Amino acid sequence: MLWKRTRRLRSQGPNDPDRAAQSAHFDLNDMLTTIDKDPYLAVVDAERQILSVFDDLRFDRSDADIMAGPMRSHIALRLDPFGFRQVSGHVIENTAQDIRMIIPKFRALGESPFDAVRYAPRRPQDFHILTPTQAACQVIDTYPLEEAQDRILALIQKHPINIYRILDFMDRSDRHMAFRPVLGHLKFVQRTAIRSEPLCRRRALR
């Protein structure tokens, strides 16, 4: 059904009734609220426009940190009612509102999750759609220690992260060195979360 709706929207011009109605009824706060209610999606940082898509419950440090096809399809499907359509493998766009959702391209197996957005430029009105691990790294690099910890604690209750991979790619900057001791606590909280409701029943998107 999604591809049929996408074909119809592509064929419409900017003045067509359906597209005009979408523009008139678009509400960014409503969209973000709807996204955050989805168990597989999360608004990690509304101010800095970062969204997350659920990856898995358990990780190995060698796991590739990529946005898999089912993850992309799920976010595209949830954004469709708000006038967004997938224009490429890495961009979901609402042309009426001039907003793009940018999914960073997978570059290399050994790429740091801290660098996910470095090669995915966006405009001020655009959003980044990240894996939970990539989103956590952005939080670590953005906020003071205590606030970063609180934000990631909230994230892992819904979207577990690859703590081992984060540890492996931390550099020796003051910010990363200060955050290292927090990872042990995050590991304990995440282990408890994935054994409890509602996470214990959640499965990766297929």
Side-chain angles (χ1 to χ4, degrees):
M1 293 300 291
L2 176 59
W3 71 270
K4 289 182 180 179
R5 179 175 173 81
T6 301
R7 284 182 60 189
R8 180 165 57 83
L9 288 175
R10 282 179 176 171
S11 68
Q12 294 172 342
N15 297 320
D16 288 323
D18 280 0
R19 200 171 283 281
Q22 285 178 341
S23 178
H25 292 97
F26 182 83
D27 186 309
L28 182 60
N29 289 331
D30 180 47
M31 182 191 77
L32 295 178
T33 299
T34 301
I35 287 174
D36 208 44
K37 287 180 179 178
D38 188 304
Y40 285 95
L41 305 175
V43 179
V44 178
D45 192 333
E47 182 180 349
R48 288 172 173 78
Q49 292 147 268
I50 295 175
L51 310 179
S52 167
V53 184
F54 178 86
D55 189 352
D56 211 335
L57 291 181
R58 294 174 177 82
F59 300 93
D60 184 85
R61 66 190 340 128
S62 63
D63 289 341
D65 190 45
I66 61 174
M67 187 73 65
M71 297 164 71
R72 297 167 189 262
S73 297
H74 187 79
I75 183 76
L77 182 64
R78 293 296 179 264
L79 288 170
D80 180 66
F82 296 96
F84 287 83
R85 62 182 178 89
Q86 191 148 9
V87 296
S88 74
H90 301 281
V91 178
I92 305 172
E93 184 177 30
N94 182 321
T95 54
Q97 301 298 323
D98 193 27
I99 299 174
R100 295 172 186 163
M101 302 288 181
I102 310 294
I103 302 171
K105 293 182 180 180
F106 175 67
R107 296 170 58 84
L109 284 173
E111 184 176 48
S112 170
F114 288 95
D115 290 338
V117 304
R118 178 173 296 182
Y119 305 106
R122 69 177 183 189
R123 303 167 303 167
Q125 69 269 37
D126 296 337
F127 286 73
H128 276 130
I129 303 175
L130 306 178
T131 69
T133 302
Q134 292 168 349
C137 288
Q138 294 306 305
V139 171
I140 292 171
D141 277 350
T142 301
Y143 291 97
L145 177 61
E146 289 189 6
E147 186 172 358
Q149 176 179 318
D150 290 344
R151 285 176 174 269
I152 294 176
L153 283 170
L155 172 63
I156 63 179
Q157 298 292 333
K158 188 175 183 183
H159 291 184
I161 62 178
N162 191 336
I163 295 174
Y164 299 106
R165 190 169 182 83
I166 291 175
L167 179 61
D168 287 346
F169 283 96
M170 279 185 156
D171 57 32
R172 300 191 65 80
S173 65
D174 290 345
R175 180 182 292 272
H176 285 194
M177 293 301 290
F179 201 86
R180 276 178 177 266
V182 176
L183 294 176
H185 178 57
L186 292 180
K187 191 185 300 183
F188 170 77
V189 173
Q190 179 163 290
R191 186 184 303 120
T192 302
I194 65 177
R195 292 173 178 171
S196 308
E197 295 283 358
L199 274 183
C200 65
R201 298 182 182 276
R202 196 165 302 164
R203 297 293 178 266
L205 292 162
R206 296 283 186 255

